[in-house]
Amino acid sequence: MGFVKKEYEFLKNIEIDSHNLGCYVGGKWKANGPTISTVNPATNQPIAEVVEGSLEDYEEGMKACVEASKMWKQLPAPKRGDIVRQIGDALRANLDHLGRLVSLEMGKILAEGIGEVQEIIDMCDFAVGLSRQLNGSIIPSERPNHAMLEVWNPLGIVGVITAFNFPSAVLGWNACIALVCGSCVVWKGAPTTPLVTIGLTKVIAGVLEKNNLPGSIFTSLCGGADIGQAIAEDTRIQLVSFTGSSKVGQIVQQTVNKRFGKCLLELSGNNAIIVMDDADIKLAARAVLFAAVGTAGQRCTTCRRLLLHESIYDNVLKQLLEAYKQVKIGDPLEKGILLGPLHTKTSKENFAKGIEVIKSQGGKILTGGSVIESEGNFVEPTIVEISPDADVVKEELFAPVLYVMKFKTLEEAIEINNSVPQGLSSSIFTQKPEAIFKWIGPAGSDCGIVNVNIPTNGAEIGGAFGGEKATGGGREAGSDSWKQYMRRATCTINYGNELPLAQGINFG
C-alpha cells in the first residue's frame, strides 16, 4: 500500500511506510495494539497508519531492557559515548528528512522542524564530551588513614514520556545523557506524533545493530495513556522523565513517588517578557514576535504575557501590531510561512473557547482572535489587552495568544511576573545594570530560566532547562543535569589499622 499523497514519499528515506509497526522491543519491530492513522494538522488528512503497542508488548520490552541494562551499565562510559556519537552522525545524515517529518506531523514550520532535530545532534555532541567527565569527588576525612570518595553509578533504566510539541528534541535531552550515564532508555512518544517516534527509533536502532549491541538498550513504544501509566508504575524504571501538562504531571509524580522512584518533570509555562522604559524597542519587538508566534504558541517557553512600561506601552504595541500583520500563515512546509497550524482539531476548539473566556473576563482583542476557516487547524495570532488580575491570565492557553499589560515600576513588573502558578521562563529588556541584577537575583524572577534582552524561548542546550512551581522543578539538557540520571554513593575507605569514629565518638 502506498502513501495517500506523493509528497509523503520522502518518508521512505527514513524507513517509514504507509503502514508501520509502532514498537521497538527486544531489538525487534512489533505491535499488538490498535491501528491508528496519524494526520497532517495543516489538512487533517491521514499521513500513514501505525499499529500501537499493547501492555504485553511493553512487558516483553521491559524484560529485555532489564537484561540489556546489566551489560550496558558496565560498558566504560567513553565507549557508551562513542555509541551516542554514532547516533549523532546518523541523525546528521538524515537531518533534512527527519526535520521535514517533524514539521509534517507536528505542524511547526520547516526551519523549526530541522532545528529540533539539530538539537538532538547537539545533545549527542554534548553527551560525548560528558562521557569522559562523569567525575566524582575526593572529600577530606576527619579521621586519620581514611579516604572519602563520591562515586556516580548508573541508575539502571530511565523512562521518557514526551509531548507532541517537541516530539524529538525532548527525547534527545533525556536519552543522550541517560545513555552515556549507563542507563537504558524506555521511550513513549506522544500519541499524535508516532511517525517521529518511529523515525528516530529507526536511526538509534540502526546504530545499536551496527555495533552488535542489544537493541533493547533503547526500547520505544507508540501508544496511549495505558503505556504511560505502566511506565510510571514500573519499579524496574528508576527515573521517569515526563513532559506535558501540570495536571497530568502531578498524577505521574504521585504515581512515581508512591513507589519511591525518581521523577523529572517539565510541565506548563506561563512566561512573561518585561520591557522597561530604557529598552531597545526594536530588539524587544522582534523578540516578542518570535516568542509569542513561534511554533503557533505551542512551546512551553512561549511568551504568553507581555509587560510594558507605561511610558513605552503605545510605541511597542504599535510596532507589534504592524509586525503581526506581516505574519504569513499556512502550510508549515512552504517557504516564508511563519505560523503553521495548531496540532489538533481539539487545540483549535480550545483556542475558540479560550477567546470567549478572555472576552468574558474583560480582555480586549487588539488583533486576531478568530479561527481561520480551512481544512487545517489554523488560527489567527492574537494580542489581548487585559488586567494581570484576570483569572485566565494565570492559565496556559496553548496557542498564539499574547496578553499585554502595563506597569509603572520594576518591582511591580516582577510581582506580576511571579504572580502565576507556573515558573518556567522569563525575560527582561533593559540596559540598566541595577535592573538586570535585581531581575536575576533573589528579589527578581522566580523562574528556572531568567533572561535579559533575549526572548523567553530558544534555550541553548548548554544550560540546565526547566522551571519551578507548577512547572515541576525538573532540569534537563546541560550544566550538571546529568546527575539526575545517576545514583550518588558516598564511600569511606579505611586504609589503617585503627577504627576512629566520626565526631570524636568513643564507643567501648
Side-chain angles (χ1 to χ4, degrees):
M1 186 170 69
F3 285 103
V4 176
K5 293 189 175 183
K6 284 185 178 180
E7 54 260 44
Y8 301 159
E9 292 289 334
F10 79 92
L11 294 173
K12 291 185 177 180
N13 293 303
I14 44 177
E15 299 182 51
I16 292 175
D17 214 323
S18 56
H19 183 83
N20 306 273
L21 298 176
C23 296
Y24 184 68
V25 296
K28 297 177 181 177
W29 286 96
K30 62 181 300 183
N32 292 286
T35 299
I36 61 153
S37 286
T38 180
V39 300
N40 178 352
T43 62
N44 280 313
Q45 296 301 310
I47 303 169
E49 289 183 337
V50 174
V51 184
E52 293 186 322
S54 65
L55 289 176
E56 289 74 21
D57 295 325
Y58 170 80
E59 182 58 28
E60 180 180 334
M62 278 305 303
K63 286 179 179 177
C65 191
V66 169
E67 288 304 308
S69 176
K70 296 174 184 177
M71 178 280 296
W72 183 247
K73 67 184 177 183
Q74 295 191 68
L75 195 69
K79 298 291 186 185
R80 300 192 296 255
D82 186 60
I83 299 301
V84 173
R85 178 192 63 76
Q86 293 179 49
I87 292 172
D89 288 344
L91 289 169
R92 280 185 180 89
N94 292 280
L95 175 60
D96 288 342
H97 294 314
L98 287 169
R100 192 172 184 83
L101 169 57
V102 171
S103 295
L104 172 67
E105 191 173 36
M106 186 272 151
K108 61 180 62 175
I109 63 174
L110 184 57
E112 290 189 82
I114 291 174
E116 183 176 341
V117 179
Q118 182 63 48
E119 195 164 343
I120 315 177
I121 295 168
D122 294 344
M123 277 304 306
C124 286
D125 291 346
F126 178 87
V128 173
L130 180 64
S131 69
R132 294 181 181 270
Q133 299 179 68
L134 301 172
N135 303 328
S137 306
I138 298 176
I139 304 166
S141 174
E142 68 183 70
R143 292 172 282 189
N145 298 322
H146 281 59
M148 288 180 66
L149 311 175
E150 190 173 78
V151 178
W152 294 89
N153 286 307
L155 275 179
I157 299 175
V158 171
V160 183
I161 303 173
T162 57
F164 73 84
N165 60 330
F166 279 87
S168 62
V170 175
L171 181 274
W173 295 350
N174 286 276
C176 295
I177 294 181
L179 288 171
V180 298
C181 286
S183 291
C184 291
V185 174
V186 176
W187 178 30
K188 189 194 92 67
T192 51
T193 53
L195 298 184
V196 174
T197 303
I198 293 168
L200 279 177
T201 302
K202 295 265 188 182
V203 171
I204 296 168
V207 172
L208 294 174
E209 291 164 10
K210 179 182 173 183
N211 286 272
N212 297 313
L213 288 167
S216 42
I217 289 169
F218 187 88
T219 298
S220 173
L221 303 112
C222 295
D226 57 339
I227 302 293
Q229 183 72 15
I231 290 173
E233 293 176 349
D234 201 328
T235 56
R236 294 168 294 188
I237 297 176
Q238 286 75 23
L239 169 69
V240 176
S241 170
F242 173 83
T243 301
S245 70
S246 295
K247 182 179 179 181
V248 177
Q250 194 170 46
I251 296 170
V252 172
Q253 183 180 48
Q254 290 169 351
T255 303
V256 176
N257 286 350
K258 191 174 180 180
R259 62 174 175 84
F260 298 106
K262 294 184 177 184
C263 209
L264 201 166
L265 301 173
E266 297 288 358
L267 310 177
S268 307
N270 193 348
N271 316 295
I273 290 178
I274 297 171
V275 184
M276 297 295 293
D277 53 348
D278 68 313
D280 182 331
I281 302 301
K282 287 186 178 180
L283 183 70
R286 284 172 54 203
V288 171
L289 181 66
F290 172 54
V293 175
T295 326
Q298 297 171 112
R299 288 179 179 235
C300 52
T301 53
T302 290
C303 177
R304 312 215 176 269
R305 297 176 295 143
L306 177 59
L307 284 50
L308 300 175
H309 190 276
E310 58 182 4
S311 66
I312 48 93
Y313 184 86
D314 292 334
N315 188 2
V316 175
L317 206 49
K318 180 182 178 182
Q319 291 193 37
L320 268 181
L321 289 171
E322 284 298 317
Y324 267 54
K325 291 177 183 177
Q326 311 302 318
V327 173
K328 290 186 178 180
I329 306 169
D331 186 335
L333 291 169
E334 288 184 10
K335 189 176 181 180
I337 296 297
L338 290 182
L339 183 65
L342 294 178
H343 184 54
T344 63
K345 288 182 179 179
T346 302
S347 301
K348 184 168 70 169
E349 292 166 4
N350 288 340
F351 169 86
K353 292 174 185 175
I355 294 296
E356 293 307 310
V357 172
I358 288 166
K359 290 178 180 177
S360 72
Q361 295 186 14
K364 179 183 177 184
I365 308 296
L366 300 182
T367 188
S370 298
V371 168
I372 297 173
E373 294 303 323
S374 71
E375 58 184 0
N377 306 319
F378 296 97
V379 301
E380 295 176 340
T382 303
I383 299 177
V384 178
E385 202 171 44
I386 197 167
S387 165
D389 298 323
D391 288 340
V392 72
V393 174
K394 307 291 192 289
E395 302 167 2
E396 183 188 41
L397 180 58
F398 221 53
V401 176
L402 178 65
Y403 301 122
V404 185
M405 48 202 79
K406 290 181 185 177
F407 69 89
K408 293 182 179 180
T409 65
L410 174 60
E411 290 72 21
E412 180 188 0
I414 291 173
E415 185 178 347
I416 295 171
N417 177 79
N418 296 350
S419 67
V420 297
Q422 307 85 356
L424 178 53
S425 187
S426 55
S427 186
I428 192 170
F429 280 77
T430 183
Q431 304 299 321
K432 296 175 182 175
E434 61 268 30
I436 292 172
F437 284 99
K438 180 163 188 176
W439 172 244
I440 67 174
S445 171
D446 64 358
C447 296
I449 298 171
V450 185
N451 293 334
V452 178
N453 295 328
I454 65 168
T456 50
N457 54 357
E460 295 183 39
I461 64 159
F465 180 92
E468 301 298 323
K469 302 189 296 187
T471 303
R475 293 297 185 277
E476 293 173 337
S479 187
D480 64 349
S481 297
W482 63 270
K483 292 181 178 180
Q484 296 167 112
Y485 301 85
M486 303 195 82
R487 58 179 176 85
R488 183 198 312 250
T490 302
C491 311
T492 305
I493 301 169
N494 179 1
Y495 55 88
N497 299 315
E498 302 294 329
L499 194 64
L501 301 179
Q503 291 83 45
I505 294 172
N506 186 4
F507 190 79

